[in-house]
Amino acid sequence: MPSETMDRDARGLAEATGNAAFVLALRERGVRDTAVLRAMERVPRERFAPPALHVHARRDIALPLACGQTMTAPSVVAALLGALDIAPGARVLEVGTGTGYVTALLVRLGAAHVRSLERYDGLARAARAHLGHDFDDATVETADGLAPEVVRGGSYDRILLNGSLAALPPHLPAALKSGGRLVAGFWTGRGSRLVTLTRDGAAAFARTEGPALRLGPLTLGRSLAP
């Protein structure tokens, strides 16, 4: 039907216009990484936001989730992903899936596989539904990514912690390949700061500090089922 085609075209144009405006707003807030901006334009945040908050999905704000968690503000996500510097074909470990939005961005940035760990089973199930079959290069597990037994034996090009913590469990940087990179927020007592660890050798790591970030805390604890 011509009218149905026109409606579909109008919706597509509105979505494209909204995505472009979203990316432009992020550029105005200082996001300059072209690959990250392109990925954020291709992955609509509202697809992953709680239905009641779709109207706010394209604003640069954190959104509340179930289980006391939050969907990180887009500019903070961009800072984390820019520091992570995904190379095509990278094997990535993500700790803290949330809604699956960052997981999808990691795939769009070229990761060959993303293993994403989420403590809360309800959030993990919702994230799998959000990702659907469009992001088959990602798997979401209900597990505590800060627990040594969950990560032991892994070997990753990149590790992303979607949250802040006061001290980094040693098994996480140990799971990096040589030349691999870990990005997280570190709690300083007055807020969180972006920190990047790059593995230079068997036991050598270079640490780089970035800007202050607003990130929720990551805590050690067993997987939880709602």
Side-chain angles (χ1 to χ4, degrees):
M1 291 272 188
S3 61
E4 292 178 355
T5 301
M6 291 176 64
D7 289 343
R8 185 170 59 250
D9 290 346
R11 288 194 299 271
L13 178 61
E15 181 176 340
T17 302
N19 288 343
F22 176 64
V23 168
L24 180 60
L26 288 174
R27 285 184 63 87
E28 291 175 348
R29 293 185 70 88
V31 179
R32 292 290 181 264
D33 191 303
T34 303
V36 172
L37 288 170
R38 188 180 302 119
M40 297 182 94
E41 187 172 13
R42 295 174 63 196
V43 179
R45 192 175 183 235
E46 58 268 27
R47 169 173 172 171
F48 296 85
L53 299 175
H54 279 184
V55 68
H56 301 295
R58 287 177 175 161
R59 297 177 61 194
D60 189 24
I61 57 173
L63 300 177
L65 303 176
C67 308
Q69 304 303 295
T70 57
M71 187 177 187
T72 305
S75 60
V76 176
V77 171
L80 293 170
L81 294 177
L84 200 63
D85 190 25
I86 294 289
R91 187 164 182 257
V92 181
L93 174 68
E94 179 188 23
V95 177
T97 312
T99 66
Y101 176 58
V102 177
T103 316
L105 291 171
L106 290 168
V107 173
R108 289 290 178 256
L109 282 166
H113 183 259
V114 181
R115 181 191 181 202
S116 189
L117 308 178
E118 172 55 56
R119 285 184 65 202
Y120 295 93
D121 186 57
L123 289 179
R125 285 187 279 107
R128 292 187 201 105
H130 293 151
L131 291 163
H133 295 294
D134 297 328
F135 300 93
D136 288 338
D137 294 325
T139 56
V140 177
E141 303 172 28
T142 302
D144 182 358
L146 299 184
E149 65 274 11
V150 174
V151 181
R152 186 177 291 121
S155 183
Y156 301 95
D157 300 291
R158 296 290 188 271
I159 297 177
L160 175 64
L161 278 66
N162 284 319
S164 63
L165 65 178
L168 185 66
H171 66 275
L172 284 173
L176 283 172
K177 295 179 181 178
S178 181
R181 181 174 295 187
L182 180 151
V183 172
F186 274 69
W187 182 252
T188 65
R190 292 182 296 176
S192 297
R193 184 166 295 279
L194 187 150
V195 171
T196 302
L197 291 180
T198 303
R199 186 164 195 169
D200 291 337
F205 296 88
R207 174 179 171 130
T208 304
E209 290 197 4
L213 299 175
R214 288 192 174 185
L215 277 170
L218 283 172
T219 55
L220 180 65
R222 63 183 178 83
S223 301
L224 300 173

